[in-house]
């Protein structure tokens, strides 16, 4: 909770207005497919679609990065709304289908960015990400997701300025859980 106005929420509102102004179709899809957009700490990602809440959740650290642009926030929201739309159609985010789902979401981002002014460099970056996903599908594996989540838990504790003993305890718990899973 920050002093008013909360900068993360203001950036989300501005990004939604950008989508609404330049890409009404994607704006309609965002509002139809998501019940809410939350700004929260996410240990394992910068953003994700949470099925149980039908929400796009954006990490506050991601939103508040100095280099973060409204174009990027807008494309991220469109990406997560596409996950919601696909799940509504019964396409579940499972390991075997992750690459295809991510490719669809990235292409939807590119479609939106093409309508935004001065978004060429971001379009190129998203296109490179799409190509990279095709060659490195291990990044989307369950094991890779677990590793990123474990590392993200520790980074989130550090971001929250948790005492070192709590960070060490969390790392011990993570190692213990991994040992049990592999044993």
């Amino acid at each position: 909770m920050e002093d008013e106005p909360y900068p993360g929420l203001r950036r989300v509102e501005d990004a939604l207005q950008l989508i609404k102004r330049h890409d009404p179709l994607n704006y309609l899809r965002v509002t139809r497919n998501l019940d809410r957009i939350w700004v929260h700490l996410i240990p394992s990602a910068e953003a994700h679609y949470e099925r149980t809440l039908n929400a796009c959740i954006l990490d506050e650290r991601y939103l508040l990065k100095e280099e973060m642009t409204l174009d990027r926030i807008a494309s991220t929201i469109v990406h997560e709304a596409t996950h919601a739309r696909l799940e509504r159609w019964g396409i579940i985010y499972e390991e075997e289908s992750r690459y295809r789902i991510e490719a669809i979401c990235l292409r939807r981002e590119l479609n939106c960015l093409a309508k935004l002014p001065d978004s060429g460099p971001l379009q190129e970056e998203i296109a490179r990400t799409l190509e990279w996903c095709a060659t490195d599908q291990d990044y989307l594996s369950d094991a890779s997701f677990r590793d990123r989540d474990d590392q993200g838990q520790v980074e989130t504790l550090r971001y929250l300025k948790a005492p070192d003993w709590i960070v060490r305890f969390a790392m011990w718990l993570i190692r213990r859980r991994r040992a049990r899973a592999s044993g």
Side-chain angles (χ1 to χ4, degrees), residues 15 21 27 32 53 60 80 86 109-111 132 136 139 144 153-156 160-161 168 171:
R21 187 171 43 257
Y27 182 78
R32 274 193 184 156
L53 300 170
E60 71 178 43
E80 300 308 326
L86 292 171
E109 280 188 76
L110 286 171
N111 175 272
W132 172 79
D136 186 10
Y139 181 80
S144 185
Q153 298 285 347
V154 172
E155 290 171 12
T156 300
L160 293 170
K161 297 178 179 28
R168 285 190 306 273
M171 291 169 67

Side-chain angles (χ1 to χ4, degrees), residues 39-134:
V39 176
H40 199 31
L41 289 175
I42 307 171
S44 59
E46 295 172 334
H48 80 100
Y49 169 66
E50 178 57 50
R51 177 184 337 144
T52 59
L53 300 170
N54 194 37
C56 166
I57 302 181
L58 301 166
D59 188 275
E60 71 178 43
R61 296 166 290 186
Y62 173 70
L63 288 175
L64 299 177
K65 285 180 183 177
E66 195 172 303
E67 67 275 9
M68 184 55 57
T69 64
L70 289 181
D71 289 359
R72 182 174 295 280
I73 296 168
S75 73
T76 300
I77 291 169
V78 166
H79 182 110
E80 300 308 326
T82 304
H83 279 292
R85 188 170 188 219
L86 292 171
E87 286 218 4
R88 222 176 245 196
W89 290 344
I91 301 169
I92 305 302
Y93 197 71
E94 296 172 328
E95 189 173 29
E96 328 52 77
S97 59
R98 280 190 193 132
Y99 165 71
R100 288 190 335 265
I101 291 171
E102 288 302 327
I104 291 166
C105 295
L106 289 165
R107 284 193 298 271
R108 180 59 38 208
E109 280 188 76
L110 286 171
N111 175 272
C112 177
L113 288 168
K115 297 171 183 154
L116 301 183
D118 304 319
S119 66
L122 184 54
Q123 288 179 56
E124 291 171 13
E125 182 181 329
I126 299 297
R128 283 192 306 275
T129 301
L130 184 58
E131 290 171 14
W132 172 79
C133 277

Side-chain angles (χ1 to χ4, degrees), residues 158-182:
R158 288 189 175 126
Y159 173 77
L160 293 170
K161 297 178 179 28
D164 286 340
W165 70 268
I166 290 179
V167 173
R168 285 190 306 273
F169 181 68
M171 291 169 67
W172 175 81
L173 284 175
I174 289 167
R175 284 191 303 273
R176 186 171 178 206
R177 185 180 74 212
R178 282 188 180 178
R180 282 186 177 172
S182 65

